[in-house]
Amino acid sequence: NMTKSLARALGPIKVNSVSPGLTLTDFVKFPGNYINDVINETPLNKAGLPKDVADVVFSITEHMEHITGQDFIVDGGKILNG
């Protein structure tokens, strides 16, 4: 994937990515019952907030000195259900 390829090519520069799942914001509106349907398929049984994504980005940039080439999935575990 692109994150791993860039990490290989640009080392020692750290390259990571964040893949957010359903994240509630004022900027995006979802049709009908989409939000509830996704929440029901999510093990944590809730939608994410921008702070959830921001916390991961902060952790990657400020606290993880020995990590590169990783994709951090911030989706409340929805990926576990396919």
Side-chain angles (χ1 to χ4, degrees):
N1 75 31
M2 189 165 81
T3 302
K4 291 185 187 326
S5 295
L6 287 171
R8 275 189 217 101
L10 298 175
I13 297 171
K14 294 183 295 180
V15 179
N16 295 295
S17 58
V18 176
S19 296
L22 177 65
T23 305
L24 301 179
T25 71
D26 293 333
F27 302 107
V28 179
K29 303 298 179 203
F30 297 98
N33 290 328
Y34 180 80
I35 292 173
N36 288 332
D37 292 345
V38 172
I39 289 171
N40 288 334
E41 296 173 0
T42 303
L44 292 183
N45 203 35
K46 68 183 199 93
L49 300 174
K51 183 183 181 321
D52 298 320
V53 178
D55 288 346
V56 171
V57 172
F58 179 78
S59 293
I60 294 168
T61 58
E62 297 297 320
H63 300 295
M64 298 181 182
E65 292 297 319
H66 198 65
I67 295 177
T68 192
Q70 301 302 307
D71 181 39
F72 293 85
I73 300 170
V74 185
D75 72 347
K78 184 172 184 316
I79 195 170
L80 301 172
N81 294 331

